[in-house]
Amino acid sequence: MKIIDKNTEFEAYVAQENKIEPKDWMPEDYRKLLIRQISQHAHSEVVGMLPEANWISRAPSLRRKMALLAKIQDEAGHGLYLYGACETLGQEGFTAHRDYTYEQMLQGKAKYSSIFNYPTLSWADIGAIGWLVDGAAIMNQVMLMGNSYGPYARAMVRICKEESFHQRQGYEILMTLCRGTQEQKEMAQRALDRFWWPALMMFGPNDDASPNSQKSMKYRVKRESNDSLRQRFVDVTVPQAQYLGLSIPDPNLHFNETTGHYEFSELPWDEFHEVLAGNGPANKKRLDTKINAQKENRWVKEAALAFAAKEEKTT
Ligand code: FAQ
């Protein structure tokens, strides 16, 4: 008789592109990997609201302000879908409740994307975030629509639809600036200079330095490697920069006719590790803002909970 263990069966099941649902059996390390990644992803969405919120009151027109507000609200919604997807994994002795995972982030024990530890110094940075940061996020999240965990994959479908509007609004901001005065175009160039390398770092370390990739690929959570997504992002983004008339801040960037890809410099990995260690330009500010918001807005949560409890009693 052929004996197949549960783990092997599970791997074969996901390899056939089946989705795992919350009540299905799953290996412990699969559950752990998902809680780590989905909660980090959710934290990125909600911390990611802060750099853009910095410009709501200074948006240059009512139209821009409305688009920016809508985009930032979308990010809050993405955080909620993701915290919801993460909570479905809170079984079998695993804690995945949003209060718990959020607290882990506030205590600096759980990561969020490195990109949100950079400040937004000009209005052009808001364009650069939409174009580059949402652009990189989409590149990664289109892949994640095909991940093996049903609730995460479904959240991704909805998120990706909204992210493409975000990317376009950012590119349009930069297009307007690049067609404007010399000063505006220079402001756009400086934003690209600031955000180019941090955007490339969003895809994570190189494949040979990525400790989670192998397992993630085996379990069909990651469907493409960090380096292959980063390469695709560079390949689609360089022509977009050329269309804007902006230059990518990389003297080694060139198109390789043989491979059909752009080649680029090694990323500034020391900077990446410093940001992950909490020493980026805005790490402290981001966490302080979220910690203070918890304190200052506690009464809202308490009032909502008291109201919900009262409603429950009367129904
Ligand atoms: N920042 O072994 P790997 C957005 C960590 S959403 C911080 O390669 P993995 C929308 C990684 O966690 C952006 N940490 O890890 C938006 C791991 O640490 P750990 C967020 C990073 O998981 C736009 C360690 O390094 N998107 O932008 C980063 O296989 C505008 C080793 O790395 C997602 O979260 C980084 N950049 O691959 C919102 C997508 N890279 O946990 C507002 C889902 C790596 O072992 C405004 N996540 N690390 O201690 C993923 O696809 C993956 O988690 C990766 C990393 C690709 C980010």
Side-chain angles (χ1 to χ4, degrees):
M1 197 177 88
K2 201 170 151 199
I3 299 173
I4 301 174
D5 72 25
K6 267 182 144 184
N7 285 297
T8 314
E9 252 179 44
F10 180 88
E11 281 169 36
Y13 188 71
V14 292
Q16 288 158 11
E17 300 298 336
N18 292 303
K19 294 282 180 234
I20 304 300
E21 296 299 334
K23 290 193 175 150
D24 293 343
W25 182 86
M26 59 186 86
E28 277 198 0
D29 57 351
Y30 177 76
R31 193 184 291 277
K32 203 168 153 192
L33 185 148
L34 283 170
I35 293 175
R36 175 187 67 82
Q37 179 166 322
I38 305 175
S39 61
Q40 285 182 2
H41 194 166
H43 304 328
S44 302
E45 300 284 353
V46 297
V47 177
M49 296 165 75
L50 298 175
E52 290 173 292
N54 182 33
W55 280 88
I56 294 173
S57 60
R58 289 174 287 167
S61 69
L62 180 61
R63 177 174 163 265
R64 293 289 185 207
K65 189 170 187 156
M66 284 175 0
L68 185 60
L69 272 171
K71 177 197 190 297
I72 296 171
Q73 283 175 358
D74 283 351
E75 308 299 0
H78 298 174
L80 289 179
Y81 312 154
L82 289 165
Y83 283 119
C86 187
E87 282 187 333
T88 63
L89 292 154
Q91 303 167 36
E92 312 279 338
F94 280 85
T95 313
H97 192 272
R98 70 188 70 183
D99 288 344
Y100 171 79
T101 53
Y102 196 71
E103 189 55 37
Q104 294 281 304
M105 191 267 291
L106 293 182
Q107 289 179 14
K109 292 179 187 161
K111 296 186 172 80
Y112 57 84
S113 182
S114 50
I115 191 73
F116 302 117
N117 292 308
Y118 291 85
T120 42
L121 304 179
S122 75
W123 173 250
D125 287 5
I126 300 304
I129 289 186
W131 172 37
L132 301 174
V133 176
D134 286 276
I138 299 170
M139 197 58 84
N140 170 278
Q141 290 170 353
V142 164
M143 157 194 82
L144 289 174
M145 288 195 304
N147 86 76
S148 58
Y149 189 55
Y152 191 24
R154 289 189 287 275
M156 279 299 117
V157 173
R158 196 158 162 187
I159 290 175
C160 282
K161 283 186 191 158
E162 292 173 354
E163 296 288 20
S164 41
F165 145 66
H166 299 169
Q167 200 264 356
R168 277 180 218 162
Q169 69 86 39
Y171 194 69
E172 204 226 341
I173 289 174
L174 287 181
M175 208 145 67
T176 307
L177 291 174
C178 289
R179 287 177 182 164
T181 63
Q182 187 56 28
E183 212 180 351
Q184 285 172 321
K185 191 161 181 187
E186 281 166 12
M187 183 164 74
Q189 180 64 55
R190 285 196 298 273
L192 172 57
D193 293 348
R194 274 195 291 277
F195 277 89
W196 176 251
W197 294 109
L200 295 195
M201 291 176 208
M202 286 176 71
F203 295 95
N206 287 137
D207 293 349
D208 56 7
S210 162
N212 300 299
S213 277
Q214 210 183 354
K215 187 178 284 175
S216 192
M217 294 278 217
K218 177 182 80 173
Y219 283 143
R220 299 289 203 270
V221 175
K222 251 185 196 174
R223 311 302 310 259
E224 273 186 73
S225 80
N226 297 0
D227 284 333
S228 103
L229 289 169
R230 185 167 19 244
Q231 180 67 58
R232 176 139 8 104
F233 176 74
V234 172
D235 289 344
V236 302
T237 309
V238 172
Q240 293 170 357
Q242 287 164 346
Y243 184 76
L244 292 172
L246 297 177
S247 21
I248 302 283
D250 179 357
N252 296 319
L253 184 88
H254 66 277
F255 189 70
N256 182 328
E257 297 284 350
T258 316
T259 61
H261 295 295
Y262 283 93
E263 289 180 4
F264 50 96
S265 300
E266 192 58 42
L267 272 64
W269 291 117
D270 288 349
E271 178 180 321
F272 176 73
H273 293 299
E274 277 300 300
V275 174
L276 259 59
N279 304 322
N283 291 61
K284 187 169 171 352
K285 190 170 179 206
R286 298 290 179 247
L287 278 187
D288 284 351
T289 306
K290 287 292 181 192
I291 291 166
N292 287 336
Q294 286 287 95
K295 284 187 200 144
E296 284 165 17
N297 302 330
R298 180 167 295 137
W299 67 272
V300 178
K301 205 170 174 181
E302 284 169 1
L305 287 172
F307 181 75
K310 194 171 151 226
E311 287 281 288
E312 210 168 282
K313 259 190 203 164
T314 52
T315 50

